[in-house]
Structures are given as structure tokens and as C-alpha cells.
Amino acid sequence: MADPAMPPLVGKATEPDVPVASRELPGRPESVALARGFVTERLGKWHPAANDVTLLVSELVTNAVVHSRSRNGGTVTVMIVDRVGHVHVEVTDEGSETAPEIREDLLAEGGRGLLLVQMIAHRWGVSRGWSWQSVRCEVNYG
């Protein structure tokens, strides 16, 4: 279940010595591969959380470009912060009619992206405004 108390990065200052990396991408399916490349570029191949973060970013960006208004010529922003012991990820899009939710039908063809987030992330959450939504998660390591 999403952790509503998990603070978003959007609009928040982080510790001054912790770099925030972000990339704005077009709301198109090919942006999923660009987002995976961004994770590798920022964390490196050998980072202890690289595989998990890459998978979760891929799932969250896929959700954004398939289900949000970003798919209509908008953008998706991926933010990554590597803190001691965990990586904070945030994917922000242009919102949708309904809030992101976990589908637990394991036999369905799709719809398991947030289930993977719930299973892999230490915690995760969703924030929504009238023209945006942000899904964030933390992946522990070390």
C-alpha cells in the first residue's frame, strides 16, 4: 500500500550535499528506454540498487506515458536522489482522471507495474494536483 506520509521531492529542498538528478522526457513510449538510460547514467551499472531502480523507473514511466495526459504531447519528469542507504525516485506526469492503483490480478495481461513497486520499494507514495501527479518510491541498499 502507498505510504501517504512519504514526502515528495517536487517543490522540496533536499540536503545541500545530496545532488538531485532530473530529466524531462516526452510523454511517448520511447521515453521508457530513455528513462532507463538516465538511471544508468546517474547511478552507474555497478550501483547496488541500479537494477531495482531501473526496473521501477521503467514501470513508472510506462504508466505515465500510457495512462496520463502526458501521452497527448506532454512530458514526464524523472528525478533521482542517491542518499546514503537508499535511492529516492520520483516520476511526475500531467495527471489523469483516476489515481494510480495496484491491480492484483496476476493473470491480467498488464497492470502489474505498481505491484512491482510495492514489492521492491521500501516505501512508495502518490501525490496529485489538478494538472499533475507524482509517484515516488525509495529503494534501499547496503
Side-chain angles (χ1 to χ4, degrees):
M1 178 164 199
D3 181 354
M6 184 177 173
L9 283 177
V10 175
K12 300 284 183 184
T14 61
E15 300 88 36
D17 60 338
V18 178
V20 175
S22 68
R23 175 86 33 99
E24 188 173 282
L25 304 167
R28 297 192 305 257
E30 53 271 21
S31 290
V32 176
L34 297 173
R36 286 192 298 264
F38 172 62
V39 172
T40 300
E41 172 188 313
R42 298 309 301 177
L43 295 181
K45 290 170 139 178
W46 307 113
H47 189 284
N51 290 336
D52 287 343
V53 172
T54 301
L55 174 61
L56 297 186
V57 165
S58 182
E59 292 296 335
L60 294 176
V61 172
T62 296
N63 284 351
V65 301
V66 170
H67 300 293
S68 80
R69 287 186 288 271
S70 294
R71 72 180 179 270
N72 299 321
T75 61
V76 175
T77 302
V78 179
M79 295 172 61
I80 301 172
V81 180
D82 186 5
R83 295 188 164 116
V84 176
H86 70 273
V87 176
H88 185 108
V89 172
E90 189 160 329
V91 175
T92 303
D93 59 43
E94 296 180 7
S96 62
E97 299 302 316
T98 60
E101 62 181 33
I102 293 176
R103 289 195 224 156
E104 296 188 20
D105 180 0
L106 298 178
L107 300 176
E109 184 175 323
R112 287 183 287 279
L114 288 179
L115 184 58
L116 285 172
V117 172
Q118 179 175 302
M119 291 170 56
I120 294 170
H122 169 66
R123 62 185 186 155
W124 70 285
V126 178
S127 297
R128 291 170 50 91
W130 68 272
S131 65
W132 62 274
Q133 67 188 4
S134 184
V135 180
R136 58 202 175 280
C137 61
E138 287 181 356
V139 176
N140 288 346
Y141 67 90

